[in-house]
Amino acid sequence: ILNVEQSPQSLHVQEGDSTNFTCSFPSSNFYALHWYRWETAKSPEALFVMTLNGDEKKKGRISATLNTKEGYSYLYIKGSQPEDSATYLCASTDKLIFGTGTRLQVFP
Amino acid sequence: DAGVIQSPRHEVTEMGQEVTLRCKPISGHNSLFWYRQTMMRGLELLIYFNNNVPIDDSGMPEDRFSAKMPNASFSTLKIQPSEPRDSAVYFCASSRGGAGELFFGEGSRLTVL
C-alpha cells in the first residue's frame, strides 16, 4: 500500500448500533497513525494519535487499534448516537497524508 | 490560546488574480501544514514546514502555487494567477512536531470565477 486508504466510504447505521471502519497505510517506515473526527461546517479534530504496534486507545464510546506490521488501524464506535454523525479521517506517514474518510450517518 | 487562525475566511476572485491566504499557527507549535479540501481527493497535503523550513512541497499542484513561512507565527499560501479549478477550501494546521496531533484552522474558502 502506497497511500492511506479508508473503508467503507460511507456508512448508515441505526442509533444504538456498534460500527467500525478501517484505515490502511504503508507499513514500511511507520511513523504515526492519527484519527480525526470532522463534522460538517467545522474543522477536523483529533481523536487519537497512535505510534506503537498493538496500541489500543479509548475515548468514551470510541476506541481504536493499531497494527503497524500489516499496516492497518480500526476505529470502533459502540452504541452509535446521532451526534456521532461525521466524517472520520485517518492520517499516516511522517507527512500526515490523509485518507478520504468514512462518512458516518447515525439515524435515530 | 486562540487556536490556528486563518484569513480570509472567504475569498471570491476572478480568474487571473493573485490570491494570498494567511495562517497564524498556535504559539509554540513548530510544524505547519497546508491542506486543500476537494470533493474528489478529500484533504490533500500541499506543503509542510518544520521550524519555518519547507520540508516537502511535492503536493503543490504547479508553479502557480507558492508558500512561505517567514517566522514561527506566520505563513502564507499564494496562488498566482488563480484559475477556477483552484476553487476549494484551504486548511492550515499546526502541531508540536514529531507525531503530535494537528490543530486545524477554520479554513479559507476560495472561489475563482
Side-chain angles (χ1 to χ4, degrees):
Chain A
I1 293 174
L2 301 177
N3 292 318
V4 178
E5 296 170 357
Q6 291 187 248
S7 63
Q9 205 168 12
S10 65
L11 203 50
H12 299 92
V13 302
Q14 209 68 32
E15 182 176 355
D17 287 351
S18 292
T19 186
N20 65 84
F21 341 122
T22 304
C23 173
S24 302
F25 52 87
S27 55
S28 58
N29 299 318
F30 174 77
Y31 190 72
L33 190 285
H34 293 214
W35 280 102
Y36 291 81
R37 183 169 180 271
W38 194 1
E39 289 182 75
T40 304
K42 294 188 178 180
S43 303
E45 290 185 350
L47 286 171
F48 305 113
V49 175
M50 307 169 81
T51 55
L52 298 175
N53 184 43
D55 224 357
E56 289 189 30
K57 296 218 171 179
K58 189 174 180 184
K59 189 182 284 190
R61 294 179 291 100
I62 305 177
S63 60
T65 60
L66 178 66
N67 183 322
T68 62
K69 295 186 189 305
E70 295 182 37
Y72 65 84
S73 175
Y74 294 135
L75 187 80
Y76 300 92
I77 302 179
K78 187 178 175 183
S80 304
Q81 299 296 309
E83 57 264 30
D84 295 330
S85 298
T87 296
Y88 291 83
L89 298 167
C90 70
S92 191
T93 80
D94 56 339
K95 297 196 290 185
L96 286 177
I97 304 293
F98 279 85
T100 50
T102 293
R103 185 170 179 170
L104 173 68
Q105 265 193 293
V106 183
F107 294 103
Chain B
D1 203 319
V4 176
I5 299 173
Q6 289 188 246
S7 64
R9 293 290 311 279
H10 302 273
E11 172 103 6
V12 180
T13 190
E14 290 189 346
M15 184 172 69
Q17 297 297 306
E18 178 180 293
V19 172
T20 299
L21 307 178
R22 297 171 179 79
C23 176
K24 179 177 174 9
I26 292 173
S27 177
H29 283 190
N30 57 10
S31 293
L32 184 140
F33 300 74
W34 281 101
Y35 290 93
R36 176 170 68 175
Q37 179 200 2
T38 61
M39 290 294 290
M40 293 297 293
R41 298 186 185 183
L43 269 181
E44 183 184 12
L45 177 67
L46 299 176
I47 186 171
Y48 80 98
F49 295 84
N50 217 25
N51 295 318
N52 314 337
V53 176
I55 302 300
D56 192 318
D57 65 354
S58 58
M60 297 285 261
E62 45 199 274
D63 291 346
R64 297 184 297 106
F65 284 69
S66 62
K68 292 182 180 178
M69 191 162 186
N71 57 61
S73 57
F74 184 65
S75 177
T76 58
L77 178 68
K78 190 175 289 189
I79 308 172
Q80 165 64 16
S82 58
E83 296 182 4
R85 61 189 166 127
D86 302 331
S87 299
V89 180
Y90 291 80
F91 284 97
C92 174
S94 70
S95 79
R96 293 187 190 280
E101 68 182 84
L102 295 178
F103 292 81
F104 283 82
E106 293 184 305
S108 294
R109 181 176 292 276
L110 172 65
T111 302
V112 183
L113 302 173

